[in-house]
Amino acid sequence: MNYFLKLSHLELEFTEYCIGQIYKLCNQKDLIEVLELNIQSDHVHLMLSIAPKYSISSLMGYLKGRLSTRLFHRYEKLGKRYWGRHLWSRGYCVSSIGLNEEEIRKYVKWQEKKDREIEQQQLDI
C-alpha cells in the first residue's frame, strides 16, 4: 500500500542531510520504500510504499522522532530556534493511493518547482 505524507517545519538548509537520513531510516525498516521525496522550507512531501504490518502512526513517530534527534545532534543551533526541541508539527497528512499514484508523484515533483517560482516572484517585487 502506498501513502502520501506531509510533515511541517523543516529548514531548507538541511535538505541534503534530511534526504539522506530519511532514506537511511526507511531502509532500516523491512519492506518500506521511498517512492518520492520533496523537502521544502517548511514541510516535506514523502510518498512511501509500506508493508501492511506497519501502522502509519508508528512509522511517522519513528521517522519524525529519529530524524529530529539526528538533526538536533548535527545542528546544535536548531535547539535555540526550536525551543523545547519541537521541530515537527504534531500531525501529518496521510492519504492512501490507489489509481492516482502517478498524479501524486507528479504533484510531489511539481510542488518544489511551484515554490521556487513563488519565491522568485517575491524577490522580484
Side-chain angles (χ1 to χ4, degrees), residues 38-121:
N38 180 341
I39 298 179
Q40 296 173 18
S41 62
D42 63 348
H43 62 279
V44 175
H45 290 276
L46 178 59
M47 186 171 150
L48 299 174
S49 175
I50 63 174
K53 68 180 183 177
Y54 297 109
S55 74
I56 299 301
S57 60
S58 295
L59 179 62
M60 290 308 304
Y62 166 77
L63 289 175
K64 291 167 77 172
R66 295 285 172 98
L67 183 56
S68 64
T69 298
R70 292 177 183 195
L71 287 170
F72 283 120
H73 180 72
R74 182 176 174 121
Y75 303 102
E76 292 181 14
K77 66 181 178 179
L78 282 179
K80 294 177 184 173
R81 184 165 187 179
Y82 296 99
W83 186 81
R85 302 178 74 80
H86 297 287
L87 181 63
W88 300 104
S89 65
R90 281 187 152 186
Y92 50 88
C93 174
V94 176
S95 178
S96 64
I97 299 171
L99 298 175
N100 295 323
E101 179 178 343
E102 189 58 36
E103 291 300 315
I104 298 297
R105 285 177 181 258
K106 287 179 187 177
Y107 173 79
V108 171
K109 291 178 181 178
W110 172 83
Q111 191 66 38
E112 182 177 11
K113 179 183 175 195
K114 189 66 175 170
D115 280 358
R116 284 187 193 156
E117 290 173 0
I118 291 170
E119 288 174 8
Q120 186 60 44
Q121 289 173 353

